[in-house]
């Protein structure tokens, strides 16, 4: 899956007037952190850990803010700043960063956020080889502030971009998120506009696919929008979570499952995880893995298995935002793993770590597990709990009004 996200952070922010005289627009405070920190936090939910910031105007401020932003992210991240040598436009900024970009990468605007099930977009675009480049679209009731995007009837092909339409007209708009590969550089020059030059060329050549998704959207282009973002983002993006045990919940418990050949998905798990992601829940795995302590497999084996499992979940249009495991056991055969640990369920350590990293509202969150120790840990952590035994995870999720 794609792990690199380039973010356009070089705009002048002229519509914000005096507000952007000291800071570039993506660094405008929204609640207790810069807007850019919220955006990167949201992208980390879907596996992005390599960020390239395409800077220009006030690039020194962007560079100075990197460590501040990194400290607000829930997971480790590589952050690189690419500075355009002159005012090059959004397409030109991409051109000058070419050497830093993977063969396939996501590009997004640094002054807007679209909180949706991004895994659906990435999975759909990855499966469909008809188009090398993709744009994520939103449906709106009023195109007054936006340019419209047209799709070919009955297909995903983007056919055209047009200027702002009459007030009151419904249609599709650019969300500011793209999945691109290096074929895009055939249409990019050292000074050009992504929106006015590159995207229309891609569409004209039949090289651009589009997918429409729903979700919370906010840009910060005008003073009123920025003020609204400061109020809304903490409410919208500090979400409740669903904590899942692994064996017996998302996969069949064959005992000490540490390799792919012994990993069998539970019935209905992908639609269930997709529903949770669609509904905006953080989705975490918290799993005791004493198979490591017993010598059945290594921590490297477990890490490899989980990378594959989470990648497979994302390829099926859902996500696991993060995960934790505890390899110790008080009677472990391997001495280095023989210990008591508050992280091991029924302890709450793994849950507490994720709550702190992702700022979770415990009172609205759930834990689903197949063992009494899971339920004890969830209740002690202040979560709502369900035992996955007589019902599968899918049956529980699709039967709960909270996830409807």
């Amino acid at each position: 899956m794609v792990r690199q996200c380039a973010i356009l952070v070089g705009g002048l922010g002229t519509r914000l007037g005096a507000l952007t005289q000291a800071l570039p627009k993506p660094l405008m405070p929204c609640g207790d952190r810069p807007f850019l920190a919220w955006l990167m936090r949201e992208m980390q939910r879907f596996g992005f850990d390599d960020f390239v910031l395409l800077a220009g105007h006030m690039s020194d401020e962007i560079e100075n803010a990197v460590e501040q932003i990194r400290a607000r992210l829930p997971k480790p991240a590589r952050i690189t700043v690419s500075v355009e040598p002159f005012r090059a436009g959004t397409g030109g900024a991409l051109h000058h960063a070419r050497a830093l970009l993977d063969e396939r990468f996501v590009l997004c605007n640094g002054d807007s956020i679209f909180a949706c099930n991004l895994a659906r977009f990435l999975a759909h675009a990855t499966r469909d080889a008809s188009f090398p480049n993709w744009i994520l679209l939103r449906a709106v009731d009023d195109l007054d502030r936006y340019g419209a995007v047209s799709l070919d009837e009955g297909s995903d092909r983007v056919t055209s971009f047009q200027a702002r339409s009459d007030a009151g007209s419904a249609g599709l708009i650019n969300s500011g998120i793209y999945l691109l590969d290096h074929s895009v550089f055939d249409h990019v020059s050292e000074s050009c506009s992504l929106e006015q030059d590159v995207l229309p060329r891609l569409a004209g050549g039949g090289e651009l696919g589009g997918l429409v998704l729903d979700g919370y959207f906010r840009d910060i282009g005008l003073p009123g929008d920025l003020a609204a973002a400061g109020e809304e983002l903490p409410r919208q993006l500090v979400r409740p979570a669903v904590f899942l045990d692994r064996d017996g919940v998302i996969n069949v418990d064959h005992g000490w499952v540490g390799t792919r050949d012994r990993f069998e998905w539970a019935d209905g798990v992908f639609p269930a995880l997709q529903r949770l992601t669609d509904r905006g829940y953080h989705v975490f795995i918290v799993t005791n893995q004493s198979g490591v302590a017993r010598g059945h497999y290594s921590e490297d084996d477990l890490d490899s298995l989980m990378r594959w499992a989470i990648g497979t979940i994302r390829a099926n249009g859902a996500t696991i935002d993060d995960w934790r495991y505890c390899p110790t056991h008080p009677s472990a055969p391997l001495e280095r793993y023989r210990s008591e640990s508050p992280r091991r369920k029924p302890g709450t350590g793994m849950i507490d770590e994720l709550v702190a990293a992702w700022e979770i509202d415990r009172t609205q969150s759930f834990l689903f597990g197949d063992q009494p120790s899971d339920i004890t840990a969830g209740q002690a952590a202040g979560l709502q709990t369900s035992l996955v035994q007589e019902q599968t995870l899918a049956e529980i999720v699709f039967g709960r009004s909270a996830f409807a």
Side-chain angles (χ1 to χ4, degrees):
M1 300 297 288
V2 180
R3 297 177 62 181
Q4 187 182 60
C5 177
I7 306 177
L8 293 160
V9 296
L12 296 175
T14 53
R15 293 184 300 165
L16 289 177
L19 293 172
T20 50
Q21 287 183 356
L23 283 177
K25 186 164 46 171
L27 298 184
M28 289 289 102
C30 289
D32 62 354
R33 70 201 72 180
F35 179 83
L36 184 58
W38 287 112
L39 174 59
M40 293 169 67
R41 179 187 191 273
E42 186 67 12
M43 300 305 290
Q44 283 201 314
R45 296 188 59 219
F46 299 95
F48 292 95
D49 57 11
D50 182 3
F51 294 93
V52 181
L53 306 182
L54 308 184
H57 175 63
M58 300 181 74
S59 60
D60 54 338
E61 295 294 339
I62 296 290
E63 292 174 325
N64 291 339
V66 164
E67 293 310 315
Q68 175 195 0
I69 289 171
R70 194 196 309 275
R72 296 310 304 255
L73 297 178
K75 295 198 284 189
R78 177 185 177 188
I79 304 174
T80 305
V81 180
S82 171
V83 181
E84 59 191 12
F86 50 83
R87 294 296 304 158
T90 50
L94 192 62
H95 169 86
H96 293 291
R98 178 174 183 166
L100 299 172
L101 297 173
D102 293 345
E103 182 61 31
R104 207 164 202 202
F105 60 95
V106 161
L107 174 70
C108 62
N109 292 337
D111 60 356
S112 64
I113 194 164
F114 186 27
C116 62
N117 182 357
L118 191 59
R120 278 187 179 270
F121 172 60
L122 298 174
H124 181 88
T126 301
R127 284 194 302 267
D128 187 344
S130 304
F131 310 102
N133 301 290
W134 287 78
I135 181 172
L136 181 57
L137 305 172
R138 301 173 50 235
V140 297
D141 295 329
D142 190 347
L143 289 167
D144 180 43
R145 290 181 54 184
Y146 308 101
V149 183
S150 298
L151 288 177
D152 182 41
E153 187 174 352
S155 83
D156 294 328
R157 184 170 68 88
V158 175
T159 57
S160 66
F161 294 82
Q162 62 188 63
R164 191 172 301 173
S165 302
D166 295 334
S169 299
L172 301 178
I173 67 169
N174 180 354
S175 76
I177 298 176
Y178 317 90
L179 177 63
L180 305 174
D181 73 10
H182 273 230
S183 67
V184 74
F185 292 108
D186 294 339
H187 305 276
V188 172
S189 63
E190 64 178 12
S191 179
C192 65
S193 166
L194 182 73
E195 299 80 5
Q196 297 176 23
D197 302 320
V198 179
L199 295 178
R201 287 177 197 155
L202 290 172
E207 298 180 54
L208 187 64
L211 183 71
V212 183
L213 288 181
D214 296 325
Y216 166 77
F217 179 83
R218 170 55 65 191
D219 67 54
I220 57 169
L222 297 172
D225 297 327
L226 178 59
E231 295 291 328
E232 294 172 0
L233 292 180
R235 293 200 309 266
Q236 292 285 340
L237 302 187
V238 178
R239 299 175 169 88
V242 174
F243 296 81
L244 303 172
D245 182 43
R246 198 195 70 172
D247 301 320
V249 177
I250 71 166
N251 60 284
V252 178
D253 189 356
H254 291 304
W256 325 122
V257 178
T259 52
R260 285 172 58 175
D261 61 299
R262 303 190 65 243
F263 194 98
E264 179 184 353
W265 294 104
D267 290 342
V269 68
F270 297 131
L273 295 175
Q274 192 176 79
R275 170 65 65 88
L276 295 174
T277 308
D278 285 343
R279 297 302 180 264
Y281 284 86
H282 289 296
V283 186
F284 303 127
I285 291 174
V286 285
T287 175
N288 290 344
Q289 287 294 321
S290 66
V292 173
R294 300 171 193 273
H296 296 300
Y297 46 87
S298 69
E299 292 188 70
D300 286 343
D301 292 333
L302 178 63
D303 182 70
S304 177
L305 174 62
M306 290 301 297
R307 286 180 182 272
W308 167 79
I310 292 172
T312 303
I313 289 166
R314 289 179 177 142
N316 281 273
T319 196
I320 300 295
D321 298 46
D322 208 345
W323 71 289
R324 294 290 189 276
Y325 74 99
C326 182
T328 63
H329 191 279
S331 57
L334 299 182
E335 185 176 358
R336 67 181 179 277
Y337 293 111
R338 192 183 306 144
S339 66
E340 297 279 359
S341 173
R343 300 181 73 251
R344 179 177 171 79
K345 294 175 292 183
T348 63
M350 292 186 288
I351 298 170
D352 295 337
E353 289 172 10
L354 290 166
V355 165
W358 290 90
E359 305 164 276
I360 301 303
D361 180 356
R362 296 174 189 256
T363 63
Q364 302 299 314
S365 298
F366 300 81
L367 182 140
F368 300 144
D370 71 324
Q371 298 295 325
S373 59
D374 298 322
I375 303 306
T376 300
Q379 291 174 346
L383 312 176
Q384 302 174 60
T385 61
S386 285
L387 194 62
V388 181
Q389 286 183 343
E390 295 182 1
Q391 287 186 300
T392 65
L393 174 65
E395 289 170 334
I396 293 172
V397 167
F398 285 102
R400 286 285 186 94
S401 59
F403 310 126

